[in-house]
Amino acid sequence: MSLASVGMGALRTSFQMLFDAVKSVQEENTMFQHLLRDIKSTLDSLQPLIKDIEKYNSKEGLENYAIQMEEGAKLVQKCSKVGLWRKHTYTKKLSQLDKSLRRVFDVLKRQGMRDARETLVSLRSIQTVLSRIEESLKMKNNLPEMVKCSSAVPEAPSVTVGLDLPLKELKMKLLKDEQVSMLVLTAAGGCGKTTLAKMFCQDQEVKDTFKNNIFFVNVSKKPNLDLIVHELYQRKGSELPAFENEVMAANWLQQFLKESRQNPLLFVLDDVWSGSESLLEKFDQFKFSNCKILVTSRFAFPRFGSPYHLAPLNDEDAMALFHYSASSEDKSSCTYEDLSRKIIKRCKGCPLAIALVGRSLRGQPIEIWQKRVVEWCKGSSILDSDKDLLACLQSSLDALDKEKAIIKECFLDLGSFPEDQRIAAAALIDMWAELYGLDEEILTIANLHELTTRSLANLVVTRHEREADGYYTEHFVTQHDMLRELAIHQASQDPIEHRKRLFINICGDKLPKWLTEQKYQAIKARLLSISTDGDFSGKWPNMQAPEAEVLVVNFETKNYALPEFVEKMDKLKVLILKNYGLLPAELDNFELLGSLSNLKRIRLERISIPSVSKVLKQLKSLQKISFFMCDIGQGLVQILDALPVPNLVELNIDYCHDLVQLPANLCDLIHLKKLSITNCHKLSALPADIGKLANLEVLRLRSCADLLELPGSIRNFKVLKFLDISGCFSVKELPEDIGAMCSMEKINVSQCSRLKKLPASVMDLEQLKEVICDEETKTLWEPFLPFLTNIHIKVIKEDINLNWLNKLPS
């Protein structure tokens, strides 16, 4: 027996040992599940190479590979017995093992491709090896003799539902709009992006336009320009030499496009992941006028133009897909129809979820259908019962594990808020400032844009004007319910007592079993979220959460009592109370907060303010308090009296419609740096002595429609940098001494339609750099431009209907 034969046998044996070890430990071990899944994926790609290793011309290094895999099997077995204190060490070792296996894969893959090129004519059997390799990598890189351009485009499924309108819209954008050369089709995993792209390629109008110049390339997580370019040439019946580097591959791509420019050309780059911008840039850079590029991705890639967002299925289409998947057309009884409606409601319009659940119920008796619905009603997640769906959605998070770890944490935090409700970006700003040190508001908004780009959330701005002042009260986050379930599922993987974030969702008075049994002495979560519905009575068992730094309370009742255990949350820094009922709620037990010496930020939504005013004086660390759609009325005097003067630097009052006049004691908050009163349409007057707020840097009075004037004392705002009176329709003039505000850098006077003149003292605003206005108020500033040499006039276009009443947040 030759040494090469011994090496091949040892390699196969070691590979199987490692493969079996990973499969066994992965099923039992949750601590390293993500890493083991990556290793399993690498082994799946290696398996066809190992199986056909004797067909390779070179057998060098096989013994070393066998030793690596044998050691790897031992390492994986040890992981099944590792305690938490050694998690970091073994995480590093498993990552190194995966990298080592990938290097083996790269070597064997290159060897296989080199052998194929050298002996393509005489060794036809190697075509089978390469075919298996390419299939395992999902590259579809077939040899020239086996491929024609027409067969390069995969067929769409025989039955598709709900994609006719999106297909029509795609054709309008790519075929009719000459300005669009690259279009990113984006949505979360499982929403049908690839299916829609296949339908687009097989559409008769598209085929008539591009004929045989349609190329469908699966890019996946780790794009290889070398292989993509070889594939393109092979589909045209050409062979290329191996590329020494990516520059050479890019040059051949450019040459390919030049040779094809005589006729219209369509590229579909399927399943492109974040980090592949350089690949898209090359296609975008080398394209020509007849070239169209359709990109499918979970990431929006906004730098390449406005993406097309694929929406979830509506109820009618969802039901049609479910009936097809479950073969339930013959099950027309009311019982089956009712169960079907409940099931598709749980699937949230996600085609993959509907199809997978439907197939799992196909041919099952009605009791199995009923059991599935009962489990979901008890709080079980659809992700618990469908591992394929979980794996599909999970892959979007896997891409965040290393370079974007903070984005993943932010995504998981979105599970703190109720289903089908908009999340105020301002609430997330407070949370993430303390949890992750994101002290600048723009950092939170940037993370939300990142989540939006990755189709993990959707940032919505209700104000038509692009924000320019860093105030985000009209920014909201929405999220597909399936993604919310993913966040909750992922956050719930660790034992309750060890979770970083704990979500408690209560229907009626049905508390979680672990809570009623007092199973855990103390919860270690830094983020605690409690959500109750309109039937909750308010009875709480004792619970300890001494490590919680953020508490989010969502409720719907007219009266709500804070749980007694809040009093002992000594590390609490952020409190967010959100009432989802129609009317402001009365709060009880608010005095429990009096002992919380670390509490810095409070946000109250739809709360009756008089019920909370008594305790604020004791909160010596309080730096920021926000009232959103609260019943503030006459209680504001008591609130301002109770606020802790020394540390309070920010006060926000938004959409409080019963606020008519600001009381004089507001002027006692002399350490305030930011004061924002927006969308309080009945506010008619400010205190005459508001100028006492000498440390004020930002004053926003946006959309206070009845506000008549600004007091003359604002001349004392010596450090104020930004004044916003946009949407104050009733203000007719600015104070004569406004020029004394010597530090002001920016002013917003847009939609001040009754403002007819400016005082001469505006010439003294030497630090003024930006004036935001509309066409009507722009003319007021033009006579002063020769004196304000550093000024920039920014004219904005607003909603001409001024229908702010229709934009009120829910």
Side-chain angles (χ1 to χ4, degrees):
M1 183 180 292
S2 67
L3 290 175
S5 298
V6 173
M8 287 187 293
L11 181 58
R12 286 200 188 93
T13 302
S14 300
F15 175 84
Q16 194 60 46
M17 286 174 56
L18 178 56
F19 189 90
D20 293 341
V22 171
K23 187 175 181 181
S24 174
V25 175
Q26 186 183 13
E27 294 174 352
E28 302 172 357
N29 187 288
T30 58
M31 188 185 306
F32 302 107
Q33 197 170 60
H34 167 60
L35 287 168
L36 292 172
R37 184 167 58 247
D38 286 348
I39 294 172
K40 173 70 163 49
S41 177
T42 304
L43 292 174
D44 286 340
S45 297
L46 262 171
Q47 195 168 29
L49 301 177
I50 300 296
K51 183 178 180 181
D52 295 303
I53 197 70
E54 73 275 0
K55 298 180 182 179
Y56 283 39
N57 293 342
S58 173
K59 309 293 191 301
E60 294 180 6
L62 298 188
E63 295 88 348
N64 291 332
Y65 299 157
I67 293 172
Q68 289 181 30
M69 293 184 185
E70 189 172 341
E71 293 297 322
K74 294 177 182 178
L75 172 64
V76 171
Q77 291 291 356
K78 289 180 181 179
C79 290
S80 62
K81 304 173 184 177
V82 171
L84 279 173
W85 63 92
R86 303 192 68 186
K87 178 179 179 181
H88 175 73
T89 300
Y90 276 83
T91 296
K92 188 174 181 181
K93 290 182 178 181
L94 288 174
S95 296
Q96 291 172 344
L97 173 61
D98 190 39
K99 290 179 182 177
S100 177
L101 291 171
R102 289 181 186 276
R103 284 194 293 271
V104 173
F105 170 77
D106 289 338
V107 171
L108 295 181
K109 181 184 69 174
R110 286 196 296 271
Q111 180 63 40
M113 294 182 68
R114 184 163 56 248
D115 293 347
R117 283 194 295 267
E118 292 172 355
T119 61
L120 182 60
V121 176
S122 60
L123 299 178
R124 305 298 298 172
S125 61
I126 293 183
Q127 291 182 357
T128 306
V129 179
L130 287 177
S131 178
R132 292 173 185 168
I133 294 172
E134 303 307 343
E135 184 177 355
S136 71
L137 291 171
K138 297 182 180 178
M139 291 179 179
K140 301 183 180 71
N141 189 18
N142 301 321
L143 294 174
E145 293 85 354
M146 301 171 62
V147 174
K148 295 180 180 178
C149 288
S150 59
S151 64
V153 178
E155 293 287 340
S158 58
V159 176
T160 58
V161 177
L163 294 179
D164 290 342
L165 178 59
L167 175 60
K168 181 179 179 181
E169 292 173 341
L170 278 189
K171 289 165 61 177
M172 287 293 296
K173 287 180 176 293
L174 274 175
L175 300 185
K176 311 297 183 185
D177 192 340
E178 296 181 356
Q179 301 299 318
V180 177
S181 58
M182 177 181 286
L183 180 63
V184 178
L185 168 60
T186 185
C191 285
K193 302 181 295 295
T194 297
T195 299
L196 179 57
K198 292 176 182 177
M199 290 177 62
F200 181 80
C201 292
Q202 298 293 350
D203 180 82
Q204 192 58 51
E205 184 180 357
V206 174
K207 290 196 288 189
D208 290 343
T209 301
F210 298 101
K211 298 182 171 54
N212 287 336
N213 270 352
I214 300 176
F215 297 90
F216 194 104
V217 181
N218 186 282
V219 178
S220 72
K221 286 186 180 180
K222 298 181 180 178
N224 187 321
L225 185 61
D226 184 323
L227 293 173
I228 290 173
V229 175
H230 272 92
E231 181 179 357
L232 294 175
Y233 274 93
Q234 286 174 357
R235 288 181 179 174
K236 287 203 136 187
S238 303
E239 274 292 319
L240 293 179
F243 301 140
E244 294 180 1
N245 51 50
E246 192 170 281
V247 175
M248 185 179 293
N251 290 337
W252 278 99
L253 174 62
Q254 185 175 16
Q255 181 64 27
F256 179 89
L257 291 171
K258 283 183 179 179
E259 293 172 357
S260 306
R261 65 187 311 158
Q262 292 83 1
N263 300 305
L265 182 67
L266 172 64
F267 281 109
V268 177
L269 304 179
D270 185 45
D271 194 23
V272 180
W273 284 70
S274 177
S276 300
E277 287 86 351
S278 62
L279 176 69
L280 298 184
E281 283 173 353
K282 289 179 176 64
F283 275 89
D284 191 49
Q285 176 185 355
F286 300 145
K287 70 180 186 299
F288 53 93
S289 58
N290 280 345
C291 180
K292 298 287 186 176
I293 303 170
L294 176 62
V295 178
T296 73
S297 179
R298 303 180 188 196
F299 313 91
F301 299 117
R303 60 194 285 189
F304 296 102
S306 180
Y308 180 86
H309 293 275
L310 182 58
L313 296 180
N314 59 37
D315 289 345
E316 181 180 353
D317 290 333
M319 181 65 81
L321 178 59
F322 178 75
H323 280 320
Y324 172 77
S325 303
S327 296
S328 58
E329 292 88 347
D330 57 330
K331 296 181 172 64
S332 57
S333 70
C334 293
T335 303
Y336 272 108
E337 282 298 307
D338 183 57
L339 289 171
S340 297
R341 281 192 293 271
K342 291 178 179 178
I343 289 169
I344 63 170
K345 181 179 180 182
R346 193 70 176 187
C347 293
K348 316 298 184 186
C350 174
L352 178 62
I354 295 167
L356 290 173
V357 172
R359 286 198 292 267
S360 71
L361 294 173
R362 180 184 297 169
Q364 297 292 333
I366 192 170
E367 289 80 8
I368 298 297
W369 291 47
Q370 291 169 330
K371 178 186 176 184
R372 185 72 61 87
V373 171
V374 168
E375 288 174 346
W376 289 343
C377 290
K378 288 183 177 180
S380 174
S381 171
I382 187 175
L383 302 178
D384 293 325
S385 55
D386 201 309
K387 301 305 179 186
D388 290 336
L389 177 60
L390 174 60
C392 176
L393 297 177
Q394 172 71 41
S395 58
S396 296
L397 291 187
D398 291 345
L400 298 173
D401 276 346
K402 297 177 182 178
E403 297 180 2
K404 302 286 187 178
I406 185 66
I407 304 297
K408 180 177 181 179
E409 297 297 318
C410 291
F411 169 78
L412 296 178
D413 289 343
L414 297 182
S416 304
F417 299 90
E419 186 178 40
D420 299 325
Q421 296 290 344
R422 292 194 300 184
I423 304 169
L428 299 173
I429 287 172
D430 287 339
M431 291 170 56
W432 295 344
E434 301 302 331
L435 287 175
Y436 312 122
L438 305 183
D439 294 325
E440 296 291 331
E441 289 91 342
I442 57 172
L443 299 179
T444 288
I445 301 302
N447 285 355
L448 292 175
H449 279 298
E450 182 81 32
L451 289 171
T452 300
T453 297
R454 294 170 177 269
S455 298
L456 292 171
N458 185 30
L459 182 61
V460 178
V461 183
T462 58
R463 185 177 174 90
H464 281 221
E465 173 195 351
R466 180 178 292 273
E467 297 291 344
D469 61 0
Y471 193 52
Y472 300 104
T473 187
E474 292 171 272
H475 285 58
F476 298 88
V477 179
T478 61
Q479 190 177 42
H480 192 289
D481 293 339
M482 196 63 65
L483 292 171
R484 177 180 176 273
E485 286 204 29
L486 176 63
I488 294 173
H489 183 274
Q490 291 299 112
S492 304
Q493 293 307 294
D494 292 325
I496 288 175
E497 68 272 24
H498 294 301
R499 292 178 190 173
K500 291 192 295 184
R501 51 184 65 77
L502 180 61
F503 305 141
I504 303 177
N505 297 295
I506 300 171
C507 296
D509 286 324
K510 296 178 181 178
L511 300 176
K513 189 175 180 180
W514 63 265
L515 184 57
T516 57
E517 292 179 351
Q518 298 289 295
K519 191 173 180 180
Y520 305 105
Q521 292 297 317
I523 303 301
K524 296 181 180 179
R526 294 182 65 201
L527 166 59
L528 175 61
S529 168
I530 300 172
S531 299
T532 59
D533 60 16
D535 296 325
F536 181 62
S537 67
K539 296 179 180 179
W540 280 98
N542 186 37
M543 186 176 76
Q544 298 180 42
E547 302 297 321
E549 298 177 39
V550 175
L551 174 61
V552 179
V553 180
N554 308 293
F555 64 95
E556 296 181 30
T557 51
K558 294 180 181 179
N559 295 279
Y560 188 86
L562 288 178
E564 296 285 346
F565 58 77
V566 171
E567 187 176 19
K568 297 180 180 179
M569 298 173 69
D570 297 331
K571 294 186 179 181
L572 192 66
K573 297 177 181 178
V574 179
L575 173 65
I576 297 172
L577 296 176
K578 171 79 184 251
N579 166 30
Y580 286 92
L582 295 176
L583 299 174
E586 295 283 342
L587 273 183
D588 293 327
N589 285 354
F590 204 73
E591 65 275 6
L592 297 175
L593 304 180
S595 61
L596 303 182
S597 58
N598 291 305
L599 189 58
K600 297 180 181 179
R601 299 165 181 259
I602 297 178
R603 178 176 176 83
L604 306 176
E605 299 190 29
R606 281 197 177 97
I607 305 294
S608 179
I609 295 307
S611 63
V612 305
S613 60
K614 302 173 184 177
V615 72
L616 296 176
K617 198 78 171 181
Q618 304 171 54
L619 302 176
K620 302 299 183 183
S621 297
L622 190 64
Q623 299 175 2
K624 176 183 177 181
I625 187 166
S626 303
F627 304 101
F628 186 86
M629 298 190 77
C630 289
D631 187 352
I632 203 164
Q634 299 302 314
L636 188 57
V637 176
Q638 290 84 1
I639 295 168
L640 296 177
D641 275 338
L643 285 173
V645 174
N647 294 308
L648 192 73
V649 294
E650 184 170 353
L651 173 62
N652 301 313
I653 304 175
D654 301 305
Y655 287 101
C656 295
H657 300 310
D658 63 341
L659 179 63
V660 176
Q661 186 172 352
L662 286 176
N665 58 349
L666 171 70
C667 307
D668 296 331
L669 302 177
I670 57 174
H671 296 285
L672 270 186
K673 293 183 178 181
K674 295 181 180 180
L675 174 61
S676 300
I677 304 170
T678 65
N679 298 289
C680 297
H681 306 299
K682 294 182 180 179
L683 177 66
S684 59
L686 302 178
D689 292 333
I690 196 172
K692 289 182 179 179
L693 302 178
N695 291 299
L696 209 59
E697 298 177 2
V698 175
L699 175 61
R700 296 186 186 89
L701 301 168
R702 184 164 58 200
S703 298
C704 295
D706 287 350
L707 184 64
L708 297 174
E709 62 179 1
L710 301 178
S713 65
I714 68 168
R715 62 181 177 275
N716 297 321
F717 289 158
K718 303 299 183 183
V719 297
L720 190 82
K721 296 181 179 180
F722 179 40
L723 173 64
D724 182 0
I725 58 170
S726 59
C728 293
F729 311 127
S730 301
V731 172
K732 297 180 180 179
E733 59 184 10
L734 299 180
E736 285 295 329
D737 295 332
I738 193 173
M741 299 163 65
C742 54
S743 298
M744 188 157 67
E745 299 176 358
K746 182 164 66 172
I747 185 171
N748 190 338
V749 291
S750 60
Q751 290 190 3
C752 294
S753 55
R754 295 189 182 180
L755 187 63
K756 299 303 181 184
K757 66 176 182 176
L758 299 177
S761 67
V762 298
M763 290 188 295
D764 299 328
L765 297 173
E766 296 179 355
Q767 301 300 315
L768 189 62
K769 299 176 182 177
E770 184 175 2
V771 174
I772 304 173
C773 57
D774 47 35
E775 290 291 350
E776 195 171 357
T777 50
K778 176 187 176 183
T779 56
L780 302 180
W781 291 90
E782 290 175 347
F784 299 97
L785 295 183
F787 307 98
L788 301 172
T789 55
N790 296 322
I791 198 173
H792 169 66
I793 304 291
K794 180 180 179 181
V795 179
I796 62 168
K797 295 182 179 180
E798 283 283 349
D799 181 358
I800 61 173
N801 293 321
L802 304 178
N803 57 344
W804 44 262
L805 286 174
N806 295 326
K807 299 179 184 178
L808 298 183
S810 60

